[in-house]
Amino acid sequence: MAGKKLTCFDCGQVNRVPEDRLGKAALCGVCGAKLMAGKVTEIDFATLQKAARNDDVPLVVDFWAPWCGPCRQMAPQYTQASGKLAGQARLVKLNTEAHPKASQKYAIRGIPMLAMFAGGQEKARQSGAMPAPAIVNWVMRAL
Ligand code: ZN
């Protein structure tokens, strides 16, 4: 069956969406959430594992924690980048304090750290806070 796989960040359902419907209007078949909202979504470890394993649309993850100053500084930049990358990649955040298993599994040693997953593989990672244009450039290069 053709189409691109996308994990719903709200309910965790892996959806298969025909490419011609892969726009802002794409909705989860189970819960009705927008799949390509173009904004940053906070996800948990289980959803990250699912999305990293299944998603065909590139998934960018910001590994962060509330105690991390540079992470908090980068947050609005990341949100800006998310809007610019709408339709090309989905940007999410994972709180490593709340989900320490994620740091273990993905070998996160310093935060903030961005990682990109697509087609079941990690394509790139980059540590350190970046301004929005640098985030966009990094994602475009890694696509
Ligand atoms: Zn859903």
Side-chain angles (χ1 to χ4, degrees):
M1 200 177 137
K4 298 227 175 212
K5 282 188 285 178
L6 280 141
T7 303
C8 172
F9 297 140
D10 279 33
C11 73
Q13 171 73 23
V14 180
N15 288 266
R16 204 179 267 276
V17 182
E19 270 182 66
D20 59 345
R21 282 206 233 140
L22 211 56
K24 280 211 158 198
L27 301 178
C28 171
V30 172
C31 75
K34 283 187 177 160
L35 294 171
M36 303 279 280
K39 58 178 192 196
V40 177
T41 311
E42 187 88 46
I43 63 171
D44 62 16
F45 180 45
T47 305
L48 170 60
Q49 281 183 294
K50 239 187 208 174
R53 199 167 48 227
N54 294 299
D55 285 18
D56 292 318
V57 174
L59 176 79
V60 180
V61 187
D62 171 17
F63 291 92
W64 77 289
W67 51 261
C68 160
C71 297
R72 293 198 309 269
Q73 274 172 15
M74 189 171 80
Q77 302 294 319
Y78 192 66
T79 299
Q80 245 184 59
S82 175
K84 292 223 162 69
L85 291 163
Q88 315 207 51
R90 298 200 296 167
L91 275 65
V92 298
K93 297 171 72 123
L94 181 128
N95 181 340
T96 56
E97 192 176 41
H99 306 284
K101 280 188 179 154
S103 300
Q104 270 170 36
K105 159 124 192 180
Y106 297 103
I108 310 303
R109 297 204 171 77
I111 53 171
M113 204 208 72
L114 298 183
M116 188 200 285
F117 300 89
Q121 283 184 321
E122 183 178 325
K123 298 281 185 194
R125 61 166 62 191
Q126 172 78 41
S127 60
M130 290 188 280
I135 297 170
V136 172
N137 282 339
W138 176 76
V139 170
M140 296 306 282
R141 274 203 311 274
L143 283 177

